[in-house]
Amino acid sequence: MVDVDEFVEEKIAEVGSAIGDENAVIALSGGVDSSTAAALSYEAVGDQLTPVYVDTGLMRKGETDTVRETFAYMDSLRIVDARDRFLDALEGVTDPEQKRHAIGEQFIREFETVAREVDATHLVQGTIYPDRIESEGTIKSHHNVGGLPERIDFDGIVEPMRDLYKDEVREVARELDLAMAERMPFPGPGLAVRVLGEVTAEKLAVVREATHVVEEELESYDPWQAFAAVLGKATGVKGDNRVHGWVVAVRSVESRDGMTARAQELDWETLQRIQSRITGENENVARVVYDVTHKPPATIEYE
Ligand code: XMP
């Protein structure tokens, strides 16, 4: 990317001419990529663009409110409360790829409803360069909106950031004054890939709170991603009783593009503070462990 002002101007013009007088939709997740693509495209076509935020219940703590506040200036913003429908779709599903598939399907259904309502002919996507590389391989069914263009017959797909790396997207986000500019990446399937096995409301509540603690406590380490995951159950002691509680893993990694990553070296006091907050705030957590594995051989997420 040559110059960020120029890039923004050029892309606004490009999006404007691609959409013309028609209507477009974008799936807004609250992450830096989709937020940047939405803000940039909204500059170009205003309310001809409908940003759709689906509250899957798999989002980080406070996410829906952040999105509502940040994009309050967009009259066309749609917030869809689909939390119960996602939990239903995930009931009994334990295989990681099937989980992604169930989430993707439900997401498309929710998104499709709005796209049809607003007569959208164009789809704007926040795809960035590393997404295209990973999707070309068989690493995973990467994007929860990956199946959209096949399902809905759009006249055009607009991807203003398709050639950018993450750090370049952040520059654009800063240029557009987006609060999300410095946020860590968050996977499309959300907290579902941070809960091993079946996704339940209880596990989601544990992972959501624990992730919030980890993000807060590790902010000064400036990680690429830092989060918690729920691994399973193990024995612990609460008061005088032995209990069977959740095992929460803490992960914090450095990376440039997510393709490889290094586990961060954290000091003991920080780790202990995280442990004590997570076990203190949730009495069903019996154990907190720190993941020291790089990528490869591990992936960043747990599923
Ligand atoms: P992994 O876990 O494969 O993750 O090392 C690499 C980067 O991609 C994010 N990630 C996803 N993003 N849909 C997404 O949009 C997904 O299914 C998905 N899985 C992983 C992950 O958070 C990391 O930044």
Side-chain angles (χ1 to χ4, degrees), residues 100 134 139-144 185-189 194 224-225 258 295 299-301:
R100 275 199 165 75
E134 286 216 346
I139 298 175
K140 60 178 166 279
S141 55
H142 195 74
H143 270 275
N144 57 2
F186 187 67
R194 298 178 179 174
W224 161 268
Q225 271 173 286
K295 172 184 180 177
T299 51
I300 295 175
E301 304 291 346

Short mmCIF file of all heavy atoms in Angstrom, two decimals, residues 100 134 139-144 185-189 194 224-225 258 295 299-301, ligand 1:
data_model
loop_
_atom_site.label_atom_id
_atom_site.label_comp_id
_atom_site.label_asym_id
_atom_site.label_seq_id
_atom_site.Cartn_x
_atom_site.Cartn_y
_atom_site.Cartn_z
N ARG A 100 -18.28 -25.56 12.49
CA ARG A 100 -18.09 -24.43 11.56
C ARG A 100 -19.21 -24.42 10.52
O ARG A 100 -19.74 -23.38 10.18
CB ARG A 100 -16.77 -24.57 10.83
CG ARG A 100 -15.59 -24.04 11.57
CD ARG A 100 -14.44 -23.81 10.58
NE ARG A 100 -13.42 -22.97 11.18
CZ ARG A 100 -12.55 -23.38 12.10
NH1 ARG A 100 -12.59 -24.63 12.54
NH2 ARG A 100 -11.65 -22.56 12.59
N GLU A 134 -5.07 -18.59 2.71
CA GLU A 134 -5.48 -19.75 3.51
C GLU A 134 -6.67 -20.47 2.89
O GLU A 134 -6.76 -21.68 2.95
CB GLU A 134 -5.80 -19.35 4.98
CG GLU A 134 -4.54 -19.06 5.76
CD GLU A 134 -4.57 -19.49 7.22
OE1 GLU A 134 -5.66 -19.79 7.74
OE2 GLU A 134 -3.50 -19.53 7.84
N ILE A 139 -6.68 -25.73 4.55
CA ILE A 139 -6.44 -25.64 5.99
C ILE A 139 -7.74 -25.76 6.78
O ILE A 139 -7.85 -26.52 7.71
CB ILE A 139 -5.68 -24.35 6.34
CG1 ILE A 139 -4.32 -24.39 5.65
CG2 ILE A 139 -5.52 -24.20 7.85
CD1 ILE A 139 -3.49 -23.15 5.78
N LYS A 140 -8.75 -25.04 6.37
CA LYS A 140 -10.06 -25.17 7.02
C LYS A 140 -11.09 -24.40 6.19
O LYS A 140 -10.75 -23.61 5.34
CB LYS A 140 -10.02 -24.60 8.43
CG LYS A 140 -9.65 -23.13 8.46
CD LYS A 140 -9.70 -22.65 9.89
CE LYS A 140 -9.02 -21.31 10.01
NZ LYS A 140 -7.60 -21.37 10.10
N SER A 141 -12.33 -24.68 6.47
CA SER A 141 -13.37 -23.88 5.82
C SER A 141 -13.35 -22.56 6.58
O SER A 141 -13.91 -22.41 7.64
CB SER A 141 -14.72 -24.56 5.94
OG SER A 141 -14.99 -24.84 7.28
N HIS A 142 -12.64 -21.60 6.03
CA HIS A 142 -12.14 -20.50 6.83
C HIS A 142 -13.20 -19.48 7.24
O HIS A 142 -13.32 -19.11 8.38
CB HIS A 142 -11.02 -19.82 6.06
CG HIS A 142 -10.21 -18.91 6.91
ND1 HIS A 142 -9.33 -19.38 7.84
CD2 HIS A 142 -10.19 -17.57 7.02
CE1 HIS A 142 -8.77 -18.36 8.46
NE2 HIS A 142 -9.27 -17.25 7.98
N HIS A 143 -13.96 -19.04 6.28
CA HIS A 143 -14.84 -17.92 6.60
C HIS A 143 -16.28 -18.34 6.74
O HIS A 143 -16.81 -19.07 5.94
CB HIS A 143 -14.70 -16.84 5.53
CG HIS A 143 -13.63 -15.89 5.91
ND1 HIS A 143 -13.87 -14.84 6.75
CD2 HIS A 143 -12.32 -15.91 5.65
CE1 HIS A 143 -12.72 -14.22 6.96
NE2 HIS A 143 -11.77 -14.85 6.30
N ASN A 144 -16.89 -17.79 7.77
CA ASN A 144 -18.27 -18.19 7.98
C ASN A 144 -19.19 -17.59 6.92
O ASN A 144 -20.33 -17.96 6.81
CB ASN A 144 -18.74 -17.83 9.38
CG ASN A 144 -18.60 -16.36 9.68
OD1 ASN A 144 -18.17 -15.60 8.82
ND2 ASN A 144 -18.96 -15.96 10.87
N PRO A 185 -7.48 -9.94 16.13
CA PRO A 185 -8.37 -10.69 15.23
C PRO A 185 -9.25 -11.64 16.04
O PRO A 185 -8.85 -12.09 17.12
CB PRO A 185 -7.40 -11.50 14.36
CG PRO A 185 -6.04 -10.97 14.63
CD PRO A 185 -6.08 -10.26 15.94
N PHE A 186 -10.42 -11.88 15.52
CA PHE A 186 -11.36 -12.79 16.20
C PHE A 186 -11.95 -13.70 15.13
O PHE A 186 -12.35 -13.22 14.07
CB PHE A 186 -12.44 -11.94 16.87
CG PHE A 186 -13.38 -12.72 17.74
CD1 PHE A 186 -12.93 -13.32 18.91
CD2 PHE A 186 -14.72 -12.86 17.39
CE1 PHE A 186 -13.80 -14.03 19.73
CE2 PHE A 186 -15.59 -13.57 18.20
CZ PHE A 186 -15.13 -14.15 19.37
N PRO A 187 -11.97 -15.00 15.37
CA PRO A 187 -12.41 -15.91 14.30
C PRO A 187 -13.89 -15.76 13.96
O PRO A 187 -14.70 -15.47 14.85
CB PRO A 187 -12.14 -17.29 14.89
CG PRO A 187 -12.12 -17.09 16.37
CD PRO A 187 -11.60 -15.70 16.60
N GLY A 188 -14.22 -15.94 12.70
CA GLY A 188 -15.61 -15.86 12.25
C GLY A 188 -16.55 -16.70 13.11
O GLY A 188 -17.60 -16.21 13.56
N PRO A 189 -16.22 -17.98 13.38
CA PRO A 189 -17.13 -18.81 14.19
C PRO A 189 -17.09 -18.45 15.68
O PRO A 189 -17.74 -19.10 16.50
CB PRO A 189 -16.62 -20.24 13.97
CG PRO A 189 -15.63 -20.16 12.87
CD PRO A 189 -15.11 -18.77 12.84
N ARG A 194 -13.39 -21.94 20.50
CA ARG A 194 -12.62 -21.87 21.74
C ARG A 194 -13.29 -22.69 22.83
O ARG A 194 -13.02 -22.52 24.02
CB ARG A 194 -12.46 -20.42 22.17
CG ARG A 194 -11.69 -19.65 21.12
CD ARG A 194 -11.54 -18.19 21.47
NE ARG A 194 -10.77 -17.51 20.43
CZ ARG A 194 -10.57 -16.23 20.39
NH1 ARG A 194 -11.09 -15.45 21.33
NH2 ARG A 194 -9.87 -15.69 19.42
N TRP A 224 -0.73 -10.51 19.31
CA TRP A 224 -1.53 -10.62 18.08
C TRP A 224 -2.92 -11.09 18.46
O TRP A 224 -3.93 -10.54 18.04
CB TRP A 224 -0.83 -11.61 17.14
CG TRP A 224 -1.70 -12.18 16.05
CD1 TRP A 224 -2.42 -13.34 16.12
CD2 TRP A 224 -1.93 -11.63 14.76
NE1 TRP A 224 -3.09 -13.54 14.93
CE2 TRP A 224 -2.80 -12.52 14.07
CE3 TRP A 224 -1.47 -10.48 14.10
CZ2 TRP A 224 -3.23 -12.29 12.78
CZ3 TRP A 224 -1.91 -10.26 12.80
CH2 TRP A 224 -2.78 -11.15 12.16
N GLN A 225 -2.96 -12.12 19.28
CA GLN A 225 -4.22 -12.58 19.85
C GLN A 225 -3.97 -13.11 21.26
O GLN A 225 -2.95 -13.77 21.50
CB GLN A 225 -4.81 -13.73 19.03
CG GLN A 225 -5.70 -13.24 17.90
CD GLN A 225 -6.15 -14.36 17.00
OE1 GLN A 225 -5.36 -14.86 16.21
NE2 GLN A 225 -7.39 -14.77 17.10
N GLY A 258 -0.89 -14.32 11.21
CA GLY A 258 -1.66 -15.47 11.68
C GLY A 258 -1.24 -16.80 11.06
O GLY A 258 -1.69 -17.85 11.49
N LYS A 295 2.83 -21.90 16.64
CA LYS A 295 2.18 -22.39 15.41
C LYS A 295 3.22 -22.33 14.30
O LYS A 295 3.66 -21.21 14.00
CB LYS A 295 0.99 -21.51 15.04
CG LYS A 295 0.41 -21.87 13.65
CD LYS A 295 -0.72 -20.95 13.23
CE LYS A 295 -1.26 -21.36 11.86
NZ LYS A 295 -2.39 -20.57 11.42
N THR A 299 -2.27 -24.82 16.07
CA THR A 299 -2.89 -23.67 15.41
C THR A 299 -3.08 -22.62 16.51
O THR A 299 -2.83 -22.90 17.68
CB THR A 299 -4.26 -24.04 14.81
OG1 THR A 299 -5.04 -24.69 15.81
CG2 THR A 299 -4.10 -24.94 13.60
N ILE A 300 -3.53 -21.45 16.11
CA ILE A 300 -3.77 -20.41 17.12
C ILE A 300 -5.03 -20.77 17.90
O ILE A 300 -5.02 -20.82 19.13
CB ILE A 300 -3.88 -19.02 16.46
CG1 ILE A 300 -2.53 -18.63 15.84
CG2 ILE A 300 -4.32 -17.98 17.49
CD1 ILE A 300 -2.52 -17.33 15.05
N GLU A 301 -6.10 -21.03 17.20
CA GLU A 301 -7.37 -21.40 17.85
C GLU A 301 -7.33 -22.88 18.24
O GLU A 301 -6.44 -23.61 17.81
CB GLU A 301 -8.54 -21.14 16.91
CG GLU A 301 -8.64 -19.72 16.38
CD GLU A 301 -9.02 -18.70 17.45
OE1 GLU A 301 -9.48 -19.10 18.54
OE2 GLU A 301 -8.85 -17.49 17.19
P1 XMP B 1 -5.49 -20.84 13.23
O1 XMP B 1 -6.31 -21.29 14.40
O2 XMP B 1 -5.82 -21.59 11.98
O3 XMP B 1 -5.92 -19.34 12.97
O4 XMP B 1 -4.02 -20.83 13.51
C1 XMP B 1 -5.25 -18.39 12.16
C2 XMP B 1 -6.00 -17.08 12.26
O5 XMP B 1 -7.30 -17.23 11.67
C3 XMP B 1 -8.32 -17.02 12.65
N1 XMP B 1 -9.33 -18.06 12.43
C4 XMP B 1 -10.46 -17.89 11.76
N2 XMP B 1 -10.97 -16.81 11.19
N3 XMP B 1 -12.84 -18.08 10.51
C5 XMP B 1 -12.18 -16.89 10.58
O6 XMP B 1 -12.68 -15.91 10.07
C6 XMP B 1 -12.38 -19.22 11.06
O7 XMP B 1 -13.00 -20.28 10.97
C7 XMP B 1 -11.13 -19.11 11.72
N4 XMP B 1 -10.36 -19.99 12.38
C8 XMP B 1 -9.27 -19.35 12.80
C9 XMP B 1 -7.64 -17.14 14.00
O8 XMP B 1 -8.33 -16.42 15.00
C10 XMP B 1 -6.26 -16.63 13.70
O9 XMP B 1 -6.20 -15.22 13.73
#
